[in-house]
Amino acid sequence: MLIPQYVRSLRTGEEEEELEVDKMLPLSFDRDTNLKRRMEQDYSNTPIPMKPRRWTYYSALLFVVGPIYAVTPLSWAYILAVAFGRAPLWRPLLAYALFEAAFSIYYQYLAYIVRNGKSQIRPRDIHQLQLLFTRMLQSGLSPPQSPTDPQRPASPAELIAQLTYEDPRAIDFRHHLRNWFHGAPWSHITRKSMSMWLAWSIFDKRLESLGPIEGSVVEEALRLIEKRSGGRLAELPPDGQDHIIPIRLTLDSIDIWSRPAALYVFYACANTAAHWWYRYVLGFTSGSHNGIEYLVRIPKPSLSGEKQSTPIVLLHGLGFGVAQYFVSFSYILARVPKNTPILIPYQPHISQTILHPGHLAPPGRKRWIHSLKSIIENQGWDEGVTMISHSKGSLPHAWMLKAHPEMVKRSALVDPVTFCLWEGDLCRNFVYKSPRGGLDLIMRYFAGTEVGTANVINRHFDWFANSLWFEEIPNARDHYYAAFWIAGADGLIDGERTRKYLARHGVDKGLYWEGDTRHGQALIPGKNSGLGQVIDWLLMEEPATPDFSGSETEGEEETIDLMRGLRKEIAKLHK
């Protein structure tokens, strides 16, 4: 069984080789004015400017978010006005106002529970931590790969080089890692600030609550960060400033905004109508396994003995459930062969189904994996499924790829949020960054600050477990088996960064990139739209043999075998 280097050194008393960080940045840069000047021009030290709010922000605030948000305070105002004789009594309006007022008390009670809830991230295995943290540091060290180049070294096999401060790879690493520090200049991030972030990201704890061994792990990780970033971090913040408090998603306070009961009534009616339409018009049946509810359509056996098409699993994202995805899913159902089985799992914890038992009790990763695996096996889909996911639906998609890649024959990830999670764009943009445009405000209000969604994101989001690596996707460079739709103007993730990550690993034909589209636009129906491209991809003829050009090299295979062996060891430890 593998033992991390820092654990071995603690057990044997071996001394670690000192990083020559002083030679990388350092302490002598004041004697080199040219180096100092180049550091000042380094874009990782340039503050990220806050864009001015666009007119769409004020339009959305005035005509959409504002009126809906105002329903609750206006209801209370009307009740008080009637009680003190300041307004005429209209019984239907008073009844509605009382309903909204009562609901607002219930909503604030739920918000209180969520705000005071503890992080639900389970303790991580030390071996898995070492593997994932090392992969994060190694990402981006290897040179780009063309689709036909068979000699690309995999990033997990790349050694963590001791970079110089001016190395472009070090600058790029610093620039993106500072997202976890609210985009502050790298020179303002101190060793204490980085240690606070490492304590959270590795152990889901505050720095001051770490034990001796955990503290040693954080110190070792800090040394590796400095090695990868090209220099030693500052000991003290700039004059007059405090140490930057980093983003610590599961430990920070939660932003929950009020909303009227009428909104939840609308969502419930829409989802009920969609459920009935799927069942009684489209021929679906409903089922449940281990708390995971789902809709499934099983075609009738063909009299001609025609074989069923590969089953499709549709995983929706944040919003108000299957009703929000009704048009997109119906578009897919109408264009795939009639002999195609379809599975649609429900996700009430991200669907604003406030009265559902699972609204504030999302199933954990292991339960999701076990349940989805059992559902697929019970249906007899032994040859695997085609899995299509959107946005947060890419997380259970990623879990299945990691745990049971043999069950996912084909993968289509639309607006995936599971790549490059270690760089912090998703957390910062969705939770912490102030909205600047109308769509940003609408997404923040209707999704990000809803009590159930906030609970999932702020208390159950495990960025280590949710990160998907290229090497974990079967046949990722073969267009038939894997495809990715990335929006260039995505407001949640850095679309360009995700595109580059996939392109660096040799994804070519399977990478659908639109530089000016926003998050979710790929699901708009249309022949030439992203959804039309998904249909074309679904209807592709299966190749006689998979295209393994540019597939894993011998070195990559050894790395992947090592990862799989490590997972088996971890599974044995859990047993």
Side-chain angles (χ1 to χ4, degrees):
M1 185 172 63
L2 298 176
I3 300 177
Q5 181 180 352
Y6 44 77
V7 174
R8 286 204 306 271
S9 63
L10 285 170
R11 290 179 178 175
T12 63
E14 294 177 3
E15 293 292 332
E16 299 279 1
E17 181 181 353
E18 287 292 329
L19 296 178
E20 297 183 12
V21 290
D22 292 346
K23 294 182 180 178
M24 291 185 288
L25 178 82
L27 298 179
S28 60
F29 81 83
D30 283 325
R31 293 192 295 268
D32 186 341
T33 55
N34 291 329
L35 176 57
K36 185 176 181 179
R37 186 179 303 112
R38 288 194 296 270
M39 285 175 56
E40 291 172 349
Q41 296 172 353
D42 168 20
Y43 62 85
S44 70
N45 277 317
T46 302
I48 299 176
M50 180 66 73
K51 296 180 180 179
R53 287 198 167 114
R54 298 187 292 274
W55 67 269
T56 55
Y57 172 89
Y58 298 101
S59 297
L61 180 63
L62 183 63
F63 297 110
V64 181
V65 175
I68 292 176
Y69 182 86
V71 169
T72 299
L74 287 176
S75 296
W76 279 101
Y78 180 71
I79 293 170
L80 294 174
V82 170
F84 288 98
R86 300 290 184 177
L89 172 62
W90 186 35
R91 294 184 183 278
L93 181 58
L94 179 61
Y96 174 71
L98 289 170
F99 170 64
E100 286 290 356
F103 176 80
S104 70
I105 296 173
Y106 174 68
Y107 189 87
Q108 291 304 319
Y109 167 71
L110 295 181
Y112 173 82
I113 292 175
V114 171
R115 288 191 180 105
N116 290 275
K118 302 291 184 182
S119 170
Q120 298 301 307
I121 307 302
R122 293 186 176 183
R124 305 179 179 108
D125 184 271
I126 197 72
H127 300 78
Q128 190 178 35
L129 288 173
Q130 183 206 27
L131 174 66
L132 294 175
F133 190 76
T134 302
R135 287 169 68 87
M136 180 197 84
L137 294 175
Q138 291 163 338
S139 179
L141 286 176
S142 59
Q145 152 78 0
S146 71
T148 57
D149 184 0
Q151 297 299 323
R152 180 188 63 83
S155 58
E158 194 77 17
L159 294 175
I160 301 177
Q162 180 172 308
L163 303 180
T164 63
Y165 191 82
E166 294 178 287
D167 190 308
R169 296 171 297 176
I171 297 175
D172 181 77
F173 178 80
R174 296 194 299 268
H175 177 63
H176 288 90
L177 192 63
R178 66 180 174 144
N179 276 316
W180 293 107
F181 302 87
H182 308 279
W186 185 262
S187 58
H188 292 191
I189 301 170
T190 63
R191 302 190 93 223
K192 181 178 179 180
S193 295
M194 184 62 71
S195 296
M196 286 192 286
W197 179 74
L198 289 169
W200 167 76
S201 63
I202 298 176
F203 296 108
D204 196 42
K205 293 183 178 181
R206 299 184 187 278
L207 180 62
E208 56 272 17
S209 66
L210 297 182
I213 294 180
E214 294 170 329
S216 299
V217 171
V218 166
E219 184 63 27
E220 170 70 10
L222 177 61
R223 289 159 59 86
L224 290 174
I225 288 280
E226 291 179 328
K227 187 176 182 180
R228 179 67 174 83
S229 63
R232 185 180 179 88
L233 288 160
E235 293 289 348
L236 298 174
D239 292 341
Q241 299 185 23
D242 294 327
H243 294 278
I244 296 170
I245 304 298
I247 289 174
R248 296 173 294 181
L249 192 61
T250 55
L251 301 179
D252 293 340
S253 60
I254 303 179
D255 195 14
I256 299 174
W257 295 359
S258 177
R259 60 207 64 225
L263 199 59
Y264 285 103
V265 172
F266 168 75
Y267 293 153
C269 292
N271 278 298
T272 300
H275 178 83
W276 280 70
W277 186 269
Y278 278 120
R279 288 197 61 184
Y280 297 106
V281 177
L282 300 179
F284 280 76
T285 58
S286 57
S288 177
H289 181 87
N290 195 23
I292 303 296
E293 300 172 2
Y294 59 88
L295 291 167
V296 63
R297 187 185 75 178
I298 306 298
K300 296 179 180 179
S302 173
L303 297 177
S304 62
E306 181 184 6
K307 185 179 178 181
Q308 286 186 348
S309 298
T310 302
I312 296 175
V313 178
L314 300 173
L315 296 168
H316 67 77
L318 286 170
F320 55 95
V322 292
Q324 178 178 323
Y325 286 79
F326 180 79
V327 173
S328 301
F329 285 178
S330 298
Y331 188 84
I332 294 174
L333 295 173
R335 286 159 178 79
V336 298
K338 300 300 181 183
N339 66 340
T340 305
I342 306 288
L343 173 69
I344 306 176
Y346 280 125
Q347 302 182 66
H349 52 287
I350 59 171
S351 300
Q352 306 194 40
T353 51
I354 197 165
L355 297 181
H356 193 283
H359 182 236
L360 295 185
R365 176 175 55 93
K366 290 184 178 180
R367 192 167 125 204
W368 252 108
I369 293 170
H370 172 74
S371 300
L372 207 50
K373 175 178 179 290
S374 298
I375 293 170
I376 292 172
E377 288 177 339
N378 293 340
Q379 296 297 337
W381 298 339
D382 301 327
E383 296 183 7
V385 300
T386 296
M387 196 166 282
I388 303 175
S389 61
H390 177 250
S391 190
K392 194 180 181 300
S394 63
L395 300 186
H397 192 161
W399 300 340
M400 285 298 293
L401 288 174
K402 291 166 177 279
H404 300 289
E406 73 284 353
M407 286 190 160
V408 185
K409 183 178 180 180
R410 305 179 71 195
S411 287
L413 295 104
V414 183
D415 296 331
V417 298
T418 192
F419 295 111
C420 305
L421 279 178
W422 56 92
E423 294 179 347
D425 294 284
L426 176 64
C427 293
R428 181 168 178 252
N429 291 337
F430 191 65
V431 180
Y432 294 86
K433 192 175 179 181
S434 177
R436 315 313 292 174
L439 184 59
D440 299 334
L441 179 62
I442 288 172
M443 291 181 67
R444 176 67 59 85
Y445 179 71
F446 288 99
T449 60
E450 191 272 333
V451 63
T453 303
N455 176 56
V456 171
I457 298 298
N458 291 270
R459 292 297 179 259
H460 294 79
F461 192 88
D462 186 347
W463 75 276
F464 260 119
N466 294 339
S467 294
L468 180 64
W469 304 85
F470 175 82
E471 293 82 7
E472 295 173 320
I473 307 172
N475 308 322
R477 296 193 198 104
D478 189 315
H479 182 205
Y480 175 80
Y481 291 99
F484 312 88
W485 279 262
I486 311 298
D490 196 313
L492 298 183
I493 65 169
D494 187 338
E496 174 65 18
R497 189 71 173 171
T498 302
R499 183 193 70 81
K500 286 182 178 180
Y501 173 77
L502 295 170
R504 285 178 67 89
H505 288 80
V507 179
D508 184 18
K509 294 180 180 178
L511 182 55
Y512 295 88
W513 163 260
E514 294 292 340
D516 57 350
T517 56
R518 301 295 299 264
H519 192 90
Q521 279 188 248
L523 293 181
I524 297 175
K527 184 176 181 180
N528 298 319
S529 68
L531 198 55
Q533 294 170 340
V534 171
I535 297 298
D536 292 340
W537 178 81
L538 278 171
L539 299 179
M540 288 175 61
E541 292 288 337
E542 183 173 2
T545 56
D547 178 13
F548 292 116
S549 62
S551 187
E552 287 87 358
T553 65
E554 181 179 352
E556 290 179 281
E557 290 173 352
E558 291 176 357
T559 301
I560 294 171
D561 288 341
L562 179 66
M563 291 166 54
R564 290 171 179 163
L566 184 55
R567 289 197 186 102
K568 291 179 181 178
E569 293 289 346
I570 293 169
K572 291 178 183 178
L573 287 174
H574 288 311
K575 290 181 180 179

